[in-house]
Amino acid sequence: MKEQYILGIAGSIRSNFKDIEVLEEHINHSSSPERLKSSLKENPCIFSNSDIALAFSLFSAKQEGSQVKIISISRIFQRSEKEGLGSDRNEEHFERIRNVDFLTLDEHEVDAFYSLIHNSTGIILSSPVYFGDRSSVANKFMQLTNRHRMLKDKVFGMISVGAKRNGGQETTCIYGLYEALMQDAIVV
């Protein structure tokens, strides 16, 4: 029997993609939302707002009996080597953000990514809000899935995080859900 799980897609360029498995561990080992919150505060890893919103969404799915997995869309892109990277991890992270338009697909990572999408029963995409729409990497996710019609018959939900109330979160979700509908997903 095929393993069934809800796949959380972290769609922020600020996603801590190198430690995203740590976030999955917090989700799977927490017994309550309060415990998840405190374990994230105690952890030295820093996650983006949309990563944390996604974690709580996946925690709710886990509480309802679903298995959950999380991956960052940033993991499947490699930065072009137009500039050298420093040895400092934060410097590397900020260089990656600064050069987001120069990212290319990492063919080794993309096959595993496609397999995760294919084997999932549902997908939750998180994204920060940029001018009432999703992030560039969340947009790349939608382009990748659209190319192969990967969302067909998948349950699909979206989470957006903005800097202020009424800051475009609604339209960000509507645009993403509309594109998922165009791929024959079952949106929630």
Side-chain angles (χ1 to χ4, degrees):
M1 187 169 107
K2 184 164 91 169
E3 180 185 9
Q4 295 189 350
Y5 54 87
I6 304 295
L7 180 62
I9 307 287
S12 172
I13 60 172
R14 290 176 180 83
S15 176
N16 187 351
F17 71 97
K18 291 185 177 179
D19 293 319
I20 206 77
E21 291 84 12
V22 172
L23 192 56
E24 186 175 314
E25 289 173 21
H26 284 290
I27 296 164
N28 284 319
H29 293 100
S30 295
S31 56
S32 68
E34 295 77 19
R35 183 63 197 132
L36 177 58
K37 182 179 177 182
S38 67
S39 69
L40 289 173
K41 279 185 176 181
E42 295 165 6
N43 192 289
C45 298
I46 298 173
F47 297 99
S48 71
N49 291 340
S50 54
D51 289 350
I52 292 170
L54 180 60
F56 278 91
S57 177
L58 290 172
F59 178 80
S60 294
K62 186 190 111 189
Q63 292 293 96
E64 293 296 322
S66 295
Q67 297 294 316
V68 298
K69 295 187 180 201
I70 186 170
I71 189 165
S72 174
I73 189 74
S74 294
R75 180 175 298 256
I76 68 167
F77 291 100
Q78 53 190 353
R79 196 175 70 77
S80 66
E81 293 303 321
K82 64 179 248 176
E83 295 179 37
L85 289 177
S87 59
D88 181 16
R89 195 168 179 183
N90 285 333
E91 185 179 328
E92 178 182 346
H93 182 68
F94 289 116
E95 280 297 313
R96 182 178 185 81
I97 292 169
R98 189 176 2 263
N99 294 309
V100 70
D101 292 332
F102 301 101
L103 297 177
T104 57
L105 272 176
D106 180 338
E107 295 300 328
H108 300 293
E109 291 284 346
V110 80
D111 289 338
F113 189 71
Y114 286 163
S115 179
L116 281 171
I117 294 169
H118 176 73
N119 292 323
S120 68
T121 54
I123 294 172
I124 303 171
L125 174 63
S126 70
S127 176
V129 175
Y130 293 104
F131 301 103
D133 204 352
R134 63 197 164 255
S135 68
S136 57
V137 289
N139 186 55
K140 287 179 186 282
F141 168 76
M142 296 305 287
Q143 290 171 347
L144 289 172
T145 58
N146 189 42
R147 184 178 310 151
H148 303 289
R149 306 292 291 174
M150 298 181 83
L151 299 182
K152 183 174 175 52
D153 299 327
K154 300 269 183 211
V155 175
F156 184 88
M158 187 146 181
I159 297 169
S160 61
V161 178
K164 63 181 184 170
R165 186 177 177 160
N166 302 320
Q169 296 88 333
E170 306 85 358
T171 55
T172 299
C173 289
I174 289 168
Y175 291 150
L177 294 173
Y178 179 75
E179 281 194 47
L181 275 174
M182 299 303 291
Q183 294 185 48
D184 296 322
I186 303 161
V187 302
V188 294

